[in-house]
Amino acid sequence: MILKAVLLVTTFVVLSANAKSIQKGDQDWWKHATFYQIYPRSFKDSNNDGNGDLRGILDKFSHLVDAGVDGVWLSPIYESPQVDQGYDISNYTAIDPMYGTLDELKELIATAHDNGIRIILDYVPNHTSDQHAWFKASENRTEGYEDYYVWVDGTPDQPPNNWLSCFRGSAWKWSEKRQQYYLHQFTEQQPDLNYRNPKVHEEMKNVLKYYLDLGVDGFRIDAVLYAYEDEQLRDEPRSNIPGIAPDDHDYLLPIYTANLPETYDLVYEWRKYVDEYSEERGLDAKVLMTEVYADLNETIPYYGTRDGSILGAHFTFNFFLVKNFDLNISTANDLQRIVNTWMNALPDIYTSNWVLGNHDNRRYPTRLGVENKDGFLMLLTLLPGVAVTYNGEEFGQEDGEVTYDQGQDPSARDPAIFEQVSRDFERTPLQWDNTTNAGFNEGNKTWLPVSKKYHDLNLASQLDEGEISYFQNYKALVRKRKEDPARLGSTDIWAMSNDTIVLKRSYEDKHIVVAFKLGWHNSTTEETILVPGISCENGTIALTSADSKQKVGDVVSVQSLVLQPHEGLVIDVAC
Ligand SMILES: *[C@@H]1O[C@H](CO)[C@@H](O)[C@H](O)[C@H]1NC(C)=O
Ligand SMILES: *[C@@H]1O[C@H](CO)[C@@H](O)[C@H](O)[C@H]1NC(C)=O
Ligand SMILES: *[C@@H]1O[C@H](CO)[C@@H](O)[C@H](O)[C@H]1NC(C)=O
Ligand SMILES: *[C@@H]1O[C@H](CO)[C@@H](O)[C@H](O)[C@H]1NC(C)=O
Ligand SMILES: *[C@@H]1O[C@H](CO)[C@@H](O)[C@H](O)[C@H]1NC(C)=O
Ligand SMILES: *[C@@H]1O[C@H](CO)[C@@H](O)[C@H](O)[C@H]1NC(C)=O
Ligand SMILES: *[C@@H]1O[C@H](CO)[C@@H](O)[C@H](O)[C@H]1NC(C)=O
Ligand SMILES: *[C@@H]1O[C@H](CO)[C@@H](O)[C@H](O)[C@H]1NC(C)=O
Ligand SMILES: *[C@@H]1O[C@H](CO)[C@@H](O)[C@H](O)[C@H]1NC(C)=O
Ligand SMILES: CC(=O)N[C@H]1CO[C@H](CO)[C@@H](O)[C@@H]1O
Ligand SMILES: [Ca+2]
Ligand SMILES: [Ca+2]
């Protein structure tokens, strides 16, 4: 006990050296924030059981302070049988013992706030675990719980309709006990809650309140587009995408199981709830960010407006750089188009946001080319609005190596689809240093294998502030985001050729220019560009990609700027 107390004091002292505790009264704190997603199971394992945990996050908290992020979003830490890595929750208001205790969560919130960092929790409203007390009671037809889930009559061999689970096969599971089918849009251990029941709305608001009372600063809302389904249970039409197996979710067009109009209203209801909560108590805004993979025209309404005020999410994740950009076929023109399409669809009152990776997608250095990773980081951080970092991205971690036998992702339990579908590659443990298990723990086991790349690719090797490294660039870019042109400036983006993209952020007479020559069309030759829209001749190099020949502080001509393949430059211009 005494030892523990000493350790806590030490931690506090070390961190408070950098302390910039939260400025209360800043309602707009989130509008230009850098959010950092922690996937807790892979972050840091403090007790050598192979799984990352809350104590591990506390042990590494000084790294988040050093990185300079404004907010941390934790993927689920709640009690769960872990069928879908914690996205199958058996009790929303209990912490899974694998991750630690409620006291540790409280300590994490306090530590974060002492260091000026906000804490966002994951909120998983579409479904619970089949081990949740509500589901057990509902399956049992216990009074009051009968309609907590989507129950439909049928016979064991005839599901109610053709709907498919996101994780393959019918979305319906027969319950022997209740002699009815229940709906599950993910695994069969994840029964869908019934949002046509007002009691479910109450219960789920109580979950929000529970964590708001603990002082969290907002929620990332998981898979919300699946909240409602067609009441008439109509069959969905074929998508007619070639080569898709009949049990694959993409075999059908999800017109009756995703993005129903009621889903938007649900988000607006939660927004009202968190706004009222903070207004009544005189607190800073509590932020809602929604996870929706959909067409632009179905994504933007999650923000929602009426009479000039925003009704819905503070922002809904912009996944278009993740989903619509393919290293093999896309050009700088495509990149420009993806950025402009999003910006043009977004009314000025909405806050933009940019994402290159998360726990559901291949890590972007792997996806977009290891040599391109600095350039993409420059774009991600200097485009307007919120920037989101998936843990490990800040030091350039790449996908790990995972075999089928080592795989853990329930959506990929079939060797034929493993490589293509599994999300295990982006979930391997964080590579802290070049010690055993990359410093993730000291034990023999890890829940997913540590990537063999860790000997060369780890955070510790990038901590020297005097050397150009990916992490030093990350820190510098997070700081640069606070400068006027990045925070408030206008945005222009141009494709100069198939390979080269220029982003210009301008505020009064100050400009921040990102010039980036992507290297994927086998371009081996340098390219000379003229940065558009700038009247003076010279700028000063603020940052370079790792193997650039340019030096920070050098003066370069923006009228005739030479770029090498894969080179990314950030240039300050004043005129
Ligand atoms: C969830 O866990 C908390 C804390 O252990 C407990 O108080 C509560 O009754 C549980 N709720 C349900 C629905 O099981
Ligand atoms: C199941 O229902 C019976 C009868 O209504 C009730 O006595 C029992 O407590 C219920 N069990 C659960 C787990 O809800
Ligand atoms: C969104 O646009 C697509 C075409 O890109 C169209 O098929 C669809 O009906 C539109 N959806 C809505 C809700 O307007
Ligand atoms: C891109 O090309 C590489 C090499 O030609 C290939 O291995 C990879 O599967 C391709 N990726 C996609 C998404 O088509
Ligand atoms: C690793 O495994 C070996 C052999 O099973 C055991 O002797 C050793 O104590 C383990 N080390 C740790 C840190 O768990
Ligand atoms: C990492 O550690 C291994 C073994 O301890 C050593 O052989 C290797 O040179 C180290 N790599 C780097 C880049 O320091
Ligand atoms: C640019 O890309 C397009 C389409 O990928 C291709 O047709 C064209 O030849 C390329 N232009 C140059 C100059 O490489
Ligand atoms: C790049 O060059 C390699 C080897 O010269 C060739 O196999 C490949 O098709 C080229 N890729 C593109 C996109 O031109
Ligand atoms: C631009 O920089 C070059 C090289 O440092 C210098 O010779 C030139 O005078 C500068 N031009 C202007 C307009 O300052
Ligand atoms: C893209 C996606 O499906 N993200 C999450 C949605 O919810 C399911 C089930 O909760 C998770 O497995 C996914 O990670
Ligand atoms: Ca652990
Ligand atoms: Ca649902």
Side-chain angles (χ1 to χ4, degrees):
M1 276 327 243
I2 289 173
L3 184 63
K4 192 170 176 189
V6 171
L7 283 174
L8 286 179
V9 169
T10 314
T11 311
F12 179 76
V13 170
V14 170
L15 293 180
S16 63
N18 294 313
K20 47 148 189 168
S21 70
I22 282 176
Q23 298 291 308
K24 292 255 166 48
D26 181 3
Q27 293 302 328
D28 292 340
W29 66 268
W30 51 276
K31 284 191 175 168
H32 200 252
T34 305
F35 286 103
Y36 182 95
Q37 177 189 0
I38 289 183
Y39 195 73
R41 199 167 181 184
S42 301
F43 194 72
K44 168 71 184 173
D45 174 16
S46 70
N47 64 349
N48 288 312
D49 68 353
N51 304 303
D53 42 53
L54 289 169
R55 178 57 57 199
I57 299 173
L58 281 159
D59 289 347
K60 289 290 187 187
F61 206 84
S62 59
H63 167 58
L64 304 173
V65 177
D66 186 26
V69 301
D70 303 294
V72 166
W73 144 40
L74 299 182
S75 285
I77 48 171
Y78 317 110
E79 186 188 287
S80 162
Q82 303 292 338
V83 170
D84 187 18
Q85 315 314 344
Y87 283 98
D88 51 318
I89 296 167
S90 50
N91 183 336
Y92 287 103
T93 55
I95 306 302
D96 197 292
M98 179 170 96
Y99 291 122
T101 63
L102 183 62
D103 280 342
E104 282 168 323
L105 176 63
K106 288 180 181 166
E107 189 182 333
L108 179 60
I109 295 168
T111 304
H113 287 177
D114 284 347
N115 285 279
I117 295 177
R118 314 269 178 164
I119 293 281
I120 309 294
L121 294 183
D122 219 306
Y123 184 59
V124 187
N126 178 63
H127 46 266
T128 69
S129 162
D130 61 351
Q131 301 303 307
H132 198 293
W134 301 339
F135 185 74
K136 290 183 180 164
S138 193
E139 190 174 35
N140 187 43
R141 295 186 197 265
T142 304
E143 197 185 338
Y145 291 90
E146 299 94 326
D147 299 325
Y148 266 46
Y149 294 83
V150 183
W151 293 102
V152 179
D153 287 337
T155 57
D157 52 354
Q158 188 53 54
N161 63 24
N162 73 347
W163 294 352
L164 291 168
S165 148
C166 291
F167 292 170
R168 296 175 95 85
S170 174
W172 297 99
K173 170 79 177 167
W174 177 254
S175 162
E176 275 303 326
K177 183 159 192 179
R178 184 157 155 156
Q179 291 287 302
Q180 272 187 316
Y181 278 96
Y182 66 83
L183 179 74
H184 61 89
Q185 294 231 47
F186 296 92
T187 70
E188 63 186 48
Q189 294 91 348
Q190 292 167 296
D192 270 52
L193 285 163
N194 173 20
Y195 278 93
R196 304 208 184 267
N197 178 354
K199 276 194 197 150
V200 169
H201 291 239
E202 284 312 304
E203 293 273 19
M204 291 308 291
K205 280 185 201 154
N206 288 340
V207 173
L208 293 176
K209 180 165 190 306
Y210 180 81
Y211 288 105
L212 290 169
D213 286 348
L214 289 180
V216 306
D217 302 289
F219 301 91
R220 172 268 188 189
I221 307 179
D222 176 70
V224 66
L225 78 169
Y226 300 108
Y228 282 89
E229 299 79 23
D230 182 37
E231 268 190 298
Q232 299 172 47
L233 306 175
R234 282 172 283 190
D235 274 350
E236 288 181 336
R238 293 270 311 267
S239 65
N240 295 321
I241 302 174
I244 300 281
D247 65 344
D248 190 308
H249 189 252
D250 289 342
Y251 189 74
L252 302 176
L253 278 179
I255 57 172
Y256 296 129
T257 53
N259 273 323
L260 266 60
E262 296 92 326
T263 307
Y264 299 102
D265 293 330
L266 184 61
V267 172
Y268 305 165
E269 186 182 322
W270 288 328
R271 173 67 187 264
K272 187 160 175 278
Y273 187 78
V274 298
D275 277 358
E276 281 171 7
Y277 183 97
S278 38
E279 276 157 23
E280 278 165 14
R281 292 163 180 78
L283 302 171
D284 290 355
K286 306 287 186 182
V287 167
L288 297 182
M289 37 185 104
T290 43
E291 182 216 37
V292 177
Y293 289 90
D295 286 346
L296 190 65
N297 57 356
E298 292 175 331
T299 300
I300 301 288
Y302 281 97
Y303 283 92
T305 15
R306 189 185 299 135
D307 304 332
S309 47
I310 297 177
L311 302 175
H314 292 74
F315 61 90
T316 190
F317 286 114
N318 168 3
F319 290 127
F320 296 98
L321 287 177
V322 176
K323 288 297 176 193
N324 292 7
F325 194 80
D326 179 337
L327 180 65
N328 289 353
I329 54 174
S330 306
T331 65
N333 265 310
D334 297 316
L335 187 52
Q336 179 202 28
R337 185 178 37 76
I338 292 168
V339 170
N340 280 339
T341 304
W342 170 264
M343 293 300 292
N344 292 339
L346 209 67
D348 282 347
I349 57 165
Y350 295 169
T351 297
S352 183
N353 74 93
W354 306 92
V355 181
L356 287 174
N358 59 30
H359 63 297
D360 286 331
N361 293 284
R362 294 305 191 105
R363 285 183 174 275
Y364 81 82
T366 304
R367 212 177 61 242
L368 301 177
V370 171
E371 313 82 352
N372 287 327
K373 68 183 176 184
D374 294 87
F376 277 107
L377 178 68
M378 291 168 182
L379 293 176
L380 176 84
T381 47
L382 292 174
L383 280 162
V386 165
V388 186
T389 304
Y390 175 54
N391 55 194
E393 277 176 7
E394 76 277 22
F395 56 88
Q397 183 162 330
E398 298 163 24
D399 278 353
E401 312 82 30
V402 184
T403 63
Y404 177 71
D405 290 340
Q406 296 165 329
Q408 301 277 343
D409 183 357
S411 74
R413 293 287 75 210
D414 172 355
I417 59 163
F418 178 71
E419 278 289 325
Q420 189 208 334
V421 171
S422 174
R423 299 168 295 178
D424 293 317
F425 305 100
E426 60 266 23
R427 297 176 178 179
T428 60
L430 245 70
Q431 295 157 211
W432 295 102
D433 55 38
N434 188 17
T435 62
T436 307
N437 287 341
F440 170 69
N441 67 15
E442 297 165 359
N444 298 340
K445 60 177 175 185
T446 58
W447 78 285
L448 280 171
V450 176
S451 167
K452 295 183 183 66
K453 297 182 188 120
Y454 81 86
H455 295 293
D456 298 310
L457 178 52
N458 59 60
L459 175 69
S461 67
Q462 302 179 22
L463 290 175
D464 186 340
E465 295 191 350
E467 272 179 33
I468 292 182
S469 65
Y470 193 81
F471 180 60
Q472 296 307 321
N473 271 351
Y474 179 87
K475 281 181 19 175
L477 285 162
V478 167
R479 279 196 304 271
K480 197 144 193 72
R481 286 170 55 70
K482 318 250 187 239
E483 294 176 11
D484 285 347
R487 219 159 39 85
L488 307 165
S490 60
T491 304
D492 290 292
I493 188 163
W494 299 277
M496 310 305 298
S497 66
N498 275 357
D499 290 324
T500 299
I501 194 97
V502 167
L503 169 71
K504 180 169 77 75
R505 304 294 313 283
S506 298
Y507 185 77
E508 295 172 348
D509 64 348
K510 292 198 203 70
H511 316 274
I512 298 175
V513 172
V514 176
F516 170 31
K517 184 169 173 60
L518 306 94
W520 70 82
H521 291 291
N522 280 355
S523 54
T524 50
T525 50
E526 62 184 37
E527 184 173 339
T528 303
I529 60 162
L530 180 156
V531 175
I534 290 187
S535 56
C536 51
E537 186 184 345
N538 288 339
T540 308
I541 303 271
L543 285 168
T544 74
S545 50
D547 0 331
S548 170
K549 290 185 203 110
Q550 307 279 8
K551 296 271 167 297
V552 172
D554 281 1
V555 172
V556 287
S557 166
V558 290
Q559 304 298 333
S560 172
L561 179 67
V562 182
L563 290 169
Q564 306 299 325
H566 308 295
E567 186 171 36
L569 299 173
V570 177
I571 304 167
D572 291 323
V573 185
C575 62

